[in-house]
Amino acid sequence: MKGLAAGIGVVFLSPILIAGTGMMLASSADAVQNSGSFSSCLSDIDSDKVAEQVTKILDGASGKDVHVEGLDLPAEQVPNAATIVAAGLSLDVPKKGQIIALATAMQESRLRNLNYGDRDSLGLFQQRPSQGWGNAEQIRDPTYASEQFYKHLLKVSGWQQMTVTQAAQAVQKSGLPDAYAQWEKLATALQGAIAKTFPGSGDADGKDTDQDKQSATTGCAPGQDGSGFGRIPEGSVPKGYSLPKDADPKAHKAIAWAMQQLGTLYQWGGSCTNSHGPDPMGRCDCSSLMQQAYAHAGVTLTRTTYTQVGEGKAVSPAHLKPGDLIFSRGSAARPEHVGMYMGEGLVIEAPRTTKPVRITPIKDWTILAARRVL
């Protein structure tokens, strides 16, 4: 999964509303010391309820009417949790590894992307620049922080045979190594709820079936994730593809216009107003391709990926329609790349410098967010 990581945020668990004790604590160490009541408060997790409420957030609900025990800031926490799960899927980390990562972030930051912590600790996992986790800006990027956690976890010998607490402690080396266990049930429920919104997540028992392995990045069954078209030469239309007849007429126009730019070279900052012309700045980058395609369909979009991720309404990556914008790289809140879903498991994009506008299978995307602009 080179581009799927779906776009979704996770809600941070607050010791205050759950334990009824007061404000969110300023450091992970303080949070651990004052969270003893969580174990009993979170002993009975209704997985179906978690899935229902998390899906609402991922589909664009504000979070004001979302109530799940242990999630008091869903609009903030759920997208962060989704980024953690998406990063795990993109790195082919098994379900247990994703649960360990979620439990760790719950303990360390309550799933908040903190700009403070004990000593120089920062971000979702309270990673420290002084300990070689990256610079402060990198650590505050949820996707980077998640990937770093997984890379360290995968280096731990025998981590899959360890308990959640043992594995988390092997990575984090916390002064309070037993604190991670209290989050395991909620982390398990969150992982299950979030993974189902992504293309492919394994079966209910956490064992990947052959079909799941084939579609682990798309949420689509084999043949619906673009894999059925085989290798697609850059700049070409895969044999057998046709514009979806049941697509919204404006989406149909936008896709058709974008396809007319196939084969033209990417230009960062290019306006996409004359991609076939001699001026490089008339060529397309990823967001200008989306903007101009929809402009030719009578729909106004903002110019950058960072702002387009706020256009229209959020949709689940598992329920895409032709014309939907999908976002990858970076984080769900600040993605760095955008493409347009074409139907039949295909996406059109202006990928990066030296590459042409092209069509790729959605199985190659780690989707952080998806938006419907019609």
Side-chain angles (χ1 to χ4, degrees):
M1 305 171 37
K2 311 305 185 288
L4 176 80
I8 308 168
V10 172
V11 192
F12 285 120
L13 309 173
S14 170
I16 299 178
L17 296 185
I18 301 175
T21 58
M23 303 171 47
M24 286 294 261
L25 303 165
S27 73
S28 59
D30 287 341
V32 171
Q33 293 170 2
N34 289 275
S35 63
S37 61
F38 291 165
S39 297
S40 58
C41 288
L42 299 177
S43 59
D44 297 317
I45 301 297
D46 185 338
S47 296
D48 290 339
K49 181 67 172 179
V50 171
E52 176 187 348
Q53 301 301 326
V54 166
T55 299
K56 288 182 180 179
I57 288 290
L58 298 183
D59 282 345
S62 68
K64 293 180 180 179
D65 298 322
V66 174
H67 302 288
V68 175
E69 184 180 15
L71 300 180
D72 58 292
L73 300 171
E76 176 184 3
Q77 293 166 296
V78 171
N80 286 328
T83 296
I84 292 171
V85 172
L89 291 172
S90 71
L91 294 173
D92 294 325
V93 177
K95 175 181 177 179
K96 182 174 181 179
Q98 298 168 37
I99 292 170
I100 293 168
L102 288 170
T104 301
M106 289 174 186
Q107 174 57 30
E108 297 292 350
S109 67
R110 303 298 182 265
L111 286 175
R112 297 167 298 157
N113 191 17
L114 301 178
N115 62 2
Y116 58 84
D118 178 48
R119 287 171 284 188
D120 59 338
S121 299
L122 296 167
L124 292 176
F125 297 90
Q126 290 290 279
Q127 294 158 338
R128 299 178 59 191
S130 64
Q131 298 301 308
W133 287 92
N135 61 42
E137 182 179 2
Q138 289 174 321
I139 291 172
R140 289 266 294 146
D141 179 333
T143 298
Y144 173 89
S146 300
E147 290 175 346
Q148 286 300 304
F149 178 87
Y150 287 125
K151 288 176 181 178
H152 282 72
L153 175 66
L154 295 175
K155 291 179 181 178
V156 175
S157 178
W159 70 267
Q160 294 196 62
Q161 285 70 53
M162 296 179 180
T163 65
V164 167
T165 288
Q166 289 171 337
Q169 174 62 7
V171 175
Q172 299 295 105
K173 298 177 174 61
S174 168
L176 294 163
D178 298 323
Y180 302 104
Q182 63 192 319
W183 303 108
E184 182 173 356
K185 288 185 178 181
L186 185 54
T188 300
L190 275 176
Q191 191 279 336
I194 293 168
K196 287 177 182 177
T197 70
F198 288 140
S201 57
D203 62 20
D205 296 324
K207 299 176 182 179
D208 293 332
T209 63
D210 290 340
Q211 178 169 326
D212 291 327
K213 290 177 181 177
Q214 293 181 55
S215 60
T217 66
T218 69
C220 307
Q224 297 177 325
D225 61 2
S227 60
F229 290 101
R231 180 182 174 276
I232 304 172
E234 289 190 334
S236 68
V237 179
K239 184 177 181 180
Y241 173 79
S242 59
L243 289 168
K245 296 179 180 179
D246 58 347
D248 182 289
K250 291 183 178 179
H252 194 285
K253 288 182 180 180
I255 295 170
W257 188 89
M259 289 175 66
Q260 293 172 19
Q261 318 315 312
L262 285 169
T264 61
L265 283 178
Y266 174 98
Q267 175 62 51
W268 185 83
S271 65
C272 202
T273 53
N274 187 13
S275 65
H276 296 277
D279 183 0
M281 296 312 293
R283 298 173 188 163
C284 310
D285 64 15
C286 65
S287 55
S288 65
L289 177 63
M290 303 299 105
Q291 182 189 47
Q292 291 302 315
Y294 265 112
H296 284 78
V299 177
T300 300
L301 296 182
T302 51
R303 172 63 182 84
T304 69
T305 303
Y306 305 134
T307 54
Q308 287 176 1
V309 75
E311 301 273 7
K313 65 178 182 179
V315 294
S316 168
H319 300 99
L320 295 175
K321 291 183 178 181
D324 287 346
L325 304 185
I326 60 174
F327 298 83
S328 66
R329 305 176 197 164
S331 65
R334 194 172 174 80
E336 297 174 358
H337 186 56
V338 61
M340 184 184 298
Y341 184 61
M342 303 172 63
E344 298 191 42
L346 298 175
V347 182
I348 189 165
E349 61 169 345
R352 61 182 181 275
T353 302
T354 75
K355 293 291 185 178
V357 173
R358 65 187 183 184
I359 294 172
T360 54
I362 198 172
K363 69 181 182 64
D364 290 344
W365 283 68
T366 298
I367 303 175
L368 297 174
R371 308 292 295 191
R372 185 160 297 151
V373 299
L374 297 175

